[in-house]
Amino acid sequence: MKHMTINGIGGKVHYWISRPNNNFKGALVFTHGLTANHTMYERQVEYFKDDYVVITWDVPLHGLSIPYKEFSYEIAARDLNSILLQESIGKVCLIGMSMGGYPSQMFAYLYPEKVQCFVGIDTTPFRTEYYSRSDLWWLSKVKTMAKWFTDKTLRKSMAKSVAVTDYSYNKMIEMLKPMSKEQIIEQMDIAYGKLASEIRDIDLNCPVLILLGDKDKTGKVKQYCAEWAKKTGYPLHIIKNAAHFSNGDNAEQVNTEIEKFISSLSILINR
């Protein structure tokens, strides 16, 4: 994949793009989860790169997109739009894992004409009705709780909590390695804090697929996904033998689910 950058609203943003040599079926944008980076999707890139334009990126305040000033999900969505403008891509399919679902949904809200579909992987809806006051209060305390862990214990507990396979555990450890404990906690604090302050009643005017690991025990993700599917009618497909990092734990099923969903929509890119 070709490594590129844009001058984002709060700093330089790094992204990677792959274009097939022949005709392609569409463009896919993969947005990673909290404290991760673009390599979280390496198994998806390998699977889709021959048939689709594939974009992965280090979300502002993550990976190589550090430092970054005044992070917000709206700003991240606008930076993503700048990436698409630079690459002359008109329409995309969005795939967002966990926190990555939030800038993806914000992008769909801000630029509905550019979104062909959204696949949420172990993520939750960006709508106020799903979150109680106590939910948001606990999210605001993540920074305080994380400080009680030693550096080593924090990293291991984070990796263990999202994975059931050695691959996903080791990948999470690898993505955390370049960061200090303070940077990890900063990402957690800002990301969860921004969820509470930015969340709005977003209606997605595009086809949506929700994917959820059958062993996902992260917060109330499983409960939120079930309510999301029930209220909207969005299909909810369970990923077998997978925790929160389901696209790493069971990449084969996740890739197949994404491909079937997109194929069923007969999506072709509009460049």
Side-chain angles (χ1 to χ4, degrees), residues 7 56 202 212 222:
N7 291 319
T56 60
I202 288 178
L212 174 67
K222 187 173 290 188

Side-chain angles (χ1 to χ4, degrees), residues 42-44 47-48 165 167-168 211 238-242 245-260:
E42 60 188 11
R43 289 185 164 182
Q44 282 65 55
Y47 185 87
F48 288 104
T165 62
Y167 167 81
S168 291
L211 302 179
I238 303 301
I239 306 302
K240 298 178 180 178
N241 302 314
F245 187 3
S246 63
N247 60 294
D249 282 336
N250 190 346
E252 182 178 0
Q253 185 184 348
V254 168
N255 294 343
T256 300
E257 295 281 3
I258 294 173
E259 184 176 39
K260 286 182 178 179

Side-chain angles (χ1 to χ4, degrees), residues 149-161 169 172-184:
F149 289 84
T150 65
D151 183 275
K152 184 176 181 180
T153 302
L154 179 62
R155 296 169 191 272
K156 286 189 173 182
S157 64
M158 290 175 67
K160 186 175 181 180
S161 69
Y169 177 85
M172 197 68 215
I173 292 293
E174 175 190 310
M175 292 187 291
L176 291 168
K177 187 176 181 180
M179 296 186 289
S180 67
K181 178 184 176 182
E182 290 71 26
Q183 286 177 315
I184 294 171

